[in-house]
Amino acid sequence: MSRFLILIYGDDEKWGERTAEAGAAVDAAHRAFREAGGVVASGELDSPALAKTIHGRAGERAYVTDGPFAEFKEVLGGYYEIEAESIDEAVARASTLYETNEPHVRIEVRPLVAH
């Protein structure tokens, strides 16, 4: 078994515009995804407006700024770390996420390096 990170990117404003019913459907779909097994960790990220970014500088002290490193329309909204036999299996599982029904969303599947 290998581990993969599933990163869910989308438009933060559009996520905030979901109706209560749509929000409940998303929550139910994510519960079902976790209950299907193989999930090592998962989480939903809070608003990018609450982020802090640490900037490294060669030979100097790092400094911190408010907000994400760069401003994008699509932001990282959540993640799953899963176990799967192959990247094809991980992609197939990620393809079942509710967000694949939302045109503003992109889902990245990336293998984790075993140390």
Side-chain angles (χ1 to χ4, degrees):
M1 275 297 182
S2 297
R3 289 194 176 178
F4 298 87
L5 200 57
I6 298 172
L7 303 168
I8 305 167
Y9 294 91
D11 186 324
D12 196 42
E13 288 181 21
K14 290 188 180 182
W15 281 330
E17 295 169 357
R18 285 180 178 149
T19 64
E21 291 91 12
V26 170
D27 291 344
H30 282 281
R31 272 193 304 281
F33 187 85
R34 286 190 300 274
E35 290 168 2
V39 174
V40 176
S42 65
E44 178 180 356
L45 279 66
D46 209 329
S47 171
L50 301 174
K52 301 279 187 185
T53 299
I54 301 166
H55 302 264
R57 294 171 27 168
E60 297 181 43
R61 179 173 272 222
Y63 65 98
V64 178
T65 58
D66 291 335
F69 175 67
E71 297 208 15
F72 296 102
K73 188 158 193 143
E74 291 179 346
V75 297
L76 180 61
Y79 70 93
Y80 282 98
E81 181 182 337
I82 67 166
E83 291 183 324
E85 292 292 334
S86 67
I87 193 158
D88 292 334
E89 178 187 338
V91 167
R93 290 183 53 200
S95 296
T96 68
L97 288 167
Y98 180 92
E99 285 80 1
T100 60
N101 299 301
E102 298 176 303
H104 68 94
V105 171
R106 303 292 177 264
I107 298 175
E108 177 182 353
V109 179
R110 188 182 303 185
L112 291 171
V113 176
H115 288 281

